[in-house]
Amino acid sequence: MRDLSAGAGLLSINTATVRKQADLLGIVDACARHGIGAISPWRDQVAAVGLDRAARMIRDAGLKLSGYCRGGLFPATGQHVVQARDDNRRAVDEAATLGAPCLILVAGGLPQFARPGSTPSKDLLAARQAIEEGLAELLAYARQARLPLALEPLHPMYAADRAAVNTLAQALDLADRLDPGGSALGVAVDVYHVWWDPELYAGIARAGRARILAYHVSDWLVPTKDLLNDRGMMGDGVIELQRIRMAVEAAGFDGFIEAEIFSERWWAEPIETVQATCVERHRTVV
Ligand code: ZN
């Protein structure tokens, strides 16, 4: 298990963690000041400052990327099918321009939530079929761009509106079917989404180095007051962070550890406070 106590070189900040405090330029500046090794930017934050400018500012600051957020949201009907395909291809191209190691994919749930305007449905099995088909099509494009796709299973509380891929085993089954023996399609292991899963450790071992393309940390607060925006700072909740990291690293993962905290509580703090706290928790409890 890697020693994180010395500094923040292996820490990445998912830029949504401080999205209310600064634009991408401000976030990059703050990360560089704190000695943070990488960021994982969101598409809207990149678009707000311009893709080429974003790529340049990240490079000039000496930061690496641990991912690019995000593509996916596959289930759709009518004209939204083509829009989803084109939008995902643009996301692949942007990730390649930025030099990201992977594009993070959130699968999408029922079509009316994945791509608003689509015909409403309650057919979760059909949504999962649409996910597999959309993923297969995007994978062909991403292979040509040499850009790995990291499918992120989300906690089942999001099955309807965000992702009908809900466990590591489910994501790995998709990867094995669409990319047998390869590493063009892998997974993002986010402790917030998978910590509860009785099959978590078996899934991490099964995924191995080839499939684990990203590792995201935060914490599970009890009680959780908001389904989306009440994630905890690492160490403030009940997730056995070091145990999970030990398993992920034993499986061969040697990338950045990405702090991804959607939290009204932390969005209300100055960016310096959030980043300093992420660094301190990274060194002590992650
Ligand atoms: Zn995540």
Side-chain angles (χ1 to χ4, degrees), residues 152 190 216 260:
E152 181 167 339
D190 185 326
H216 299 171
E260 184 185 34

Side-chain angles (χ1 to χ4, degrees), residues 108-111 121-131 159-160 163-166:
L110 298 170
S121 167
K122 296 182 183 179
D123 191 341
L124 196 59
L125 300 185
R128 287 184 169 138
Q129 187 58 39
I131 289 165
V165 174
N166 305 104

Side-chain angles (χ1 to χ4, degrees), residues 14 42 69 104 106 152-154 188-193 214-218 231 258-262:
N14 182 294
W42 281 67
C69 297
I104 302 293
V106 167
E152 181 167 339
L154 299 200
V189 176
D190 185 326
V191 299
Y192 193 76
H193 296 300
Y215 180 58
H216 299 171
V217 295
S218 60
R231 294 194 192 191
E258 180 179 323
E260 184 185 34
I261 306 162
F262 306 152

Side-chain angles (χ1 to χ4, degrees), residues 11 13 17-18 21 191-192 217-222 229-239 241 258-267 269-286:
L11 171 63
I13 296 288
T17 303
V18 283
Q21 290 94 328
V191 299
Y192 193 76
V217 295
S218 60
D219 216 331
W220 186 275
L221 300 177
V222 180
N229 296 326
D230 192 29
R231 294 194 192 191
M233 175 64 67
M234 296 78 76
D236 287 350
V238 297
I239 299 178
L241 290 166
E258 180 179 323
E260 184 185 34
I261 306 162
F262 306 152
S263 163
E264 298 292 352
R265 179 234 183 284
W266 288 99
W267 284 326
E269 298 282 348
I271 190 167
E272 296 300 322
T273 305
V274 179
Q275 299 221 351
T277 307
C278 284
V279 169
E280 191 257 324
R281 301 297 174 86
H282 174 83
R283 294 177 57 203
T284 54
V285 302
V286 168

Side-chain angles (χ1 to χ4, degrees), residues 49 90 100 176:
V49 299
R90 279 195 298 275
D176 285 350

Side-chain angles (χ1 to χ4, degrees), residues 11-15 24 27-28 31 36-41 58 63-67 258:
L11 171 63
S12 174
I13 296 288
N14 182 294
T15 58
L24 191 61
I27 295 169
V28 165
C31 285
I36 291 164
I39 62 169
S40 183
I58 292 166
L63 290 173
K64 299 273 194 282
L65 265 68
S66 59
E258 180 179 323

